[in-house]
Amino acid sequence: MRSESRGVLVTGASRGIGKEIARRFTDLGDIVISPSRDELDLASKESVSSFVANFDTEISILVNNAGINMVGSVDDYSSTDLENMIQTNLVSAFELSKLAVHSKGLKAICNVASIWSERSYPGRAVYSMTKSGLLGLTRGLAQDLGSRNVMVNAVSPGFIETEMTSANISQDRREELYKNIPLGRFGDPKGIANVVTFLCSSDNQYITGQNIIADGGFLS
């Protein structure tokens, strides 16, 4: 545990990968701010604006983890669905990054993207679009904040053992996917949290503007 605590803002920390990320930073002695949906509804422009306007805590680290994934063809998407996906997965990350940039003690931003930013499947066009946009934001911010020695990176998880994975992937489908993953298994949220905390730590002295793919070799 370090001698000085850092302020860490983590979105989507109520479950899954986000919960492990928040837990890992807490274990490291940091002060983690993980707003609930009542406090910060990322799908609502008004909620994000209000949160930003009333936020008065110095941020050392921002982790944009929260996101939604509505599977469906382009024809299936209503304008409301499209707006919700873009607002939640991309625009809110941009707005929270703007907030973090105003903190003098900012050290790192980490955006949790997805392997579907690098490859897509049927029904994932909009999701891939938003997560690819998140990678663009990552690279641009790395350029903008490099002079301040702020590390900005993305982590793209593959298939990870979460509540959502268990609910959405049948055992038969799981067995099929195992055959295409060199490690032969799904990942653990703790493994993703370890990558995120490393990228945001003082041990990371020269990695910025990168997308770290953590997928057990699925895309290799």
Side-chain angles (χ1 to χ4, degrees), residues 8-14 18 22 32-37 39:
V8 183
L9 176 58
V10 183
T11 63
S14 64
V32 176
I33 304 147
S34 53
S36 67
R37 180 169 290 184
E39 297 168 313

Side-chain angles (χ1 to χ4, degrees), residues 6-64:
R6 304 170 299 179
V8 183
L9 176 58
V10 183
T11 63
S14 64
R15 62 179 182 175
I17 292 172
K19 185 175 182 178
E20 287 299 330
I21 291 172
R23 180 180 295 162
R24 181 74 179 116
F25 277 116
T26 299
D27 289 345
L28 291 171
D30 294 315
I31 300 170
V32 176
I33 304 147
S34 53
S36 67
R37 180 169 290 184
D38 289 338
E39 297 168 313
L40 174 61
D41 181 358
L42 297 177
S44 166
K45 294 179 182 179
E46 293 76 15
S47 178
V48 174
S49 295
S50 176
F51 180 84
V52 169
N54 292 288
F55 193 85
D56 60 359
T57 304
E58 280 291 308
I59 301 173
S60 294
I61 296 167
L62 168 64
V63 181
N64 287 308

Side-chain angles (χ1 to χ4, degrees), residues 170-181 218:
S170 68
Q171 187 59 39
D172 287 344
R173 178 58 177 155
R174 181 183 287 262
E175 294 297 332
E176 291 177 9
L177 288 168
Y178 285 167
K179 297 174 183 178
N180 294 312
I181 300 172
F218 180 72

